Amino acid sequence: AMRALATYVQERGMALRLARLPSNSSLSRVAAPLAESGWSVRVAPDGFCPFIRLAGHSWDSFLSTIGPAHRATTRRRLRALEKNFTMRFERVTDDAMRQYALAKLFDFHQARFGRRGTAFHTNLLRAFHLDVTDRLQKAGVLRLFMLRLNGDLVGVMYGMSFKGRFYFYQHGYDPQFQSHGIGRAVLDLSIRAAIEEELAEFDLLYGGEAYKSAWTNERRPLTRIDMFPAHLGGRIHQHAVETERTLRAFARRVISDHAPQTS
């Protein structure tokens, strides 16, 4: 299959840029046949995915593996919600609730991030997620969870379960409940649900956000592969890409050097 893809790309003389690939990605195998044909291939690190090992754990035994402060905070947060509200955390299994939960997730992101949000900020993106979650639900892969407090939907987890691994794609919550730690509670309860499903891993996906390090120090390295055809247009494209990256790196250093430091 990868040789067929390489042939397709090669016949059209198009550059191929693959970002954030795990080391065992089948897509990375397309590089070898292109390199054999004289293409320029550049491989570089491209961030990482933190992940949590869950295999063999109950919720309580898993909590015993994390730091004592984080463990105590997690238990206290969930106890407080159960004490102050009638709390329900449930998986979406029907089509009407899928559409309702997604609509609330879109609203939560808009309320929290405004113009800074990019996950669901256009009608086309929202239509895409409505379509893809329908397909994933029919395939048994979708894991869409709702957190209700006193009957009101206040948090949504949008993830997937495939080959023993939970993939945490997005979550959102009602900003009015931020003081109750709702965002973290949605993640807590999703990890507990993955354990109850007897999944082996909870993949937090790309990015080194601070809240992820509270759960795990394990990371899966990612790779970027850029492939450019041997003809002149390919060399020009390669030079333009490398120049852009150099300028971006320089700009980040300048901004970092001049940004005010906060404690």
Side-chain angles (χ1 to χ4, degrees):
M2 291 304 106
R3 285 197 172 273
L5 175 59
T7 300
Y8 178 87
V9 171
Q10 189 175 357
E11 288 175 349
R12 285 154 181 78
M14 60 176 69
L16 192 61
R17 303 168 67 184
L18 304 176
R20 299 174 186 171
L21 295 176
S23 58
N24 61 347
S25 170
S26 59
L27 272 177
S28 64
R29 298 174 198 156
V30 75
L34 290 176
E36 291 169 4
S37 300
W39 282 44
S40 295
V41 177
R42 297 288 184 269
V43 181
D46 200 20
F48 57 87
C49 282
F51 68 96
I52 306 168
R53 295 187 190 274
L54 303 178
H57 279 298
S58 66
W59 175 241
D60 287 335
S61 71
F62 168 69
L63 287 180
S64 70
T65 68
I66 65 177
H70 182 45
R71 178 168 62 247
T73 300
T74 299
R75 285 176 168 154
R76 183 170 59 251
R77 177 168 50 237
L78 295 180
R79 281 199 303 265
L81 288 174
E82 290 170 342
K83 178 182 177 181
N84 296 316
F85 303 93
T86 300
M87 184 176 77
R88 282 171 49 204
F89 187 72
E90 55 191 349
R91 178 179 161 188
V92 173
T93 57
D94 67 81
D95 192 60
M97 290 308 297
R98 175 186 62 84
Q99 295 184 52
Y100 173 65
L102 279 178
K104 294 296 287 186
L105 179 61
F106 299 158
D107 290 345
F108 292 156
H109 267 254
Q110 178 63 33
R112 184 180 178 195
F113 297 110
R115 292 184 177 180
R116 294 183 295 115
T118 58
F120 312 111
H121 69 297
T122 68
N123 289 334
L124 281 175
L125 271 173
R126 295 183 177 200
F128 167 80
H129 285 286
L130 283 165
D131 177 62
V132 78
T133 53
D134 178 41
R135 296 168 185 260
L136 291 171
Q137 185 161 283
K138 289 174 179 174
V141 173
L142 182 67
R143 294 297 181 272
L144 192 63
F145 291 98
M146 302 185 300
L147 174 60
R148 293 183 183 274
L149 299 181
N150 293 344
D152 295 326
L153 179 54
V154 300
V156 176
M157 167 60 74
Y158 175 2
M160 287 145 271
S161 175
F162 186 68
K163 292 187 176 180
R165 183 180 295 163
F166 185 100
Y167 293 90
F168 166 29
Y169 177 65
Q170 285 284 346
H171 75 325
Y173 58 89
D174 188 333
Q176 296 182 67
F177 290 86
Q178 186 169 358
S179 62
H180 295 279
I182 291 297
R184 294 294 180 94
V186 170
L187 181 56
D188 300 341
L189 294 166
S190 298
I191 294 172
R192 189 167 76 180
I195 291 172
E196 291 170 352
E197 194 178 339
E198 299 184 349
L199 300 180
E201 284 187 11
F202 193 99
D203 195 321
L204 292 157
L205 295 187
Y206 172 79
E209 293 86 349
Y211 73 88
K212 297 180 181 180
S213 63
W215 285 108
T216 182
N217 292 319
E218 295 199 73
R219 299 175 174 185
R220 185 171 287 112
L222 303 176
T223 299
R224 184 187 70 247
I225 305 178
D226 295 328
M227 290 156 275
F228 301 93
H231 57 63
L232 177 61
R235 292 197 296 274
I236 292 173
H237 189 178
Q238 177 182 352
H239 179 70
V241 169
E242 291 173 348
T243 300
E244 177 188 2
R245 288 201 179 116
T246 300
L247 290 174
R248 284 175 182 266
F250 175 73
R252 283 195 295 268
R253 287 199 301 272
V254 170
I255 292 170
S256 177
D257 289 344
H258 292 83
Q261 300 299 310
T262 58
S263 57

